[in-house]
Amino acid sequence: IMYVHVPAAWISLGIFSLISVLSFGIIIFKNKDFSLITKSLAPSGFVFNIIALVTGSIWGKPTWGTWWAWDARITSMLLLCIFYILYILSWRIFEDSKNVSKLTSIISILGLINLPIIKFSVNWWSTLHQPASISLTKSAIHSSMLYPLAIMTAAFVLFSTLIFLMKYNTELIKIKNKGLDRL
């Protein structure tokens, strides 16, 4: 489960970080192309967030004896899932692309506050979730486990890139069919 759970969580966090950074570009520079990119990134981030939550529950049952605990890391990942839902639903509900672009940018920037909480929650509070086993400078896991984890992470990155490109192409076709040059 670790080889699915951990890369899914990393990808989910990475995609939301990218969405948030691009959202600053939408608000500050009024770059409408970023709106299309962030709109196309959100579904794959949401899917990987769900995968991380579900596999975490599957992992938690034999480890902690329960499917769910209101643990700091788990709850903050659930909150990230809610931000993804709000982000995606905003694009589906509202018609005016200019206003929805601003709204979704605000949602993602507010959600950005949650990312350090997810990352450092195991250090700040006493939680059931184990601390980080891998950092930029060292790894607490053996290389026989680290290499497959790296391979799965690379595979998930490629898969999320594929999902993004398919969604981006679909959004471009929608715009072209509407006869619009930009959002």
Side-chain angles (χ1 to χ4, degrees), residues 10 36 39 41 50 111 131 153 172:
W10 287 345
L36 190 59
K39 183 180 180 182
L41 281 168
I50 294 295
T153 302
L172 286 175

Side-chain angles (χ1 to χ4, degrees), residues 93-153:
I93 292 173
F94 299 105
E95 297 288 328
D96 182 18
S97 62
K98 185 177 181 182
N99 288 334
V100 74
S101 183
K102 287 180 185 176
L103 176 64
T104 55
S105 294
I106 291 168
I107 290 169
S108 65
I109 291 169
L110 289 174
L112 186 64
I113 296 167
N114 189 41
L115 298 185
I117 295 170
I118 294 170
K119 169 70 176 137
F120 297 111
S121 61
V122 293
N123 300 332
W124 293 341
W125 298 290
S126 176
T127 66
L128 291 173
H129 199 281
Q130 72 182 46
S133 300
I134 300 170
S135 70
L136 294 175
T137 57
K138 64 179 179 170
S139 172
I141 63 174
H142 191 266
S143 62
S144 65
M145 294 175 69
L146 189 59
Y147 293 134
L149 185 62
I151 290 169
M152 282 299 293
T153 302

Side-chain angles (χ1 to χ4, degrees), residues 56-57 60 64 66-76 78 128-129:
S57 292
W64 305 322
T66 183
W67 292 100
W68 183 266
W70 290 100
D71 178 80
R73 167 85 45 101
I74 302 166
T75 305
S76 55
L78 178 65
L128 291 173
H129 199 281

Side-chain angles (χ1 to χ4, degrees), residues 39-68:
K39 183 180 180 182
S40 302
L41 281 168
S44 59
F46 174 67
V47 167
F48 281 110
N49 189 280
I50 294 295
I51 291 169
L53 286 171
V54 169
T55 55
S57 292
I58 293 169
W59 191 343
K61 179 61 175 164
T63 306
W64 305 322
T66 183
W67 292 100
W68 183 266

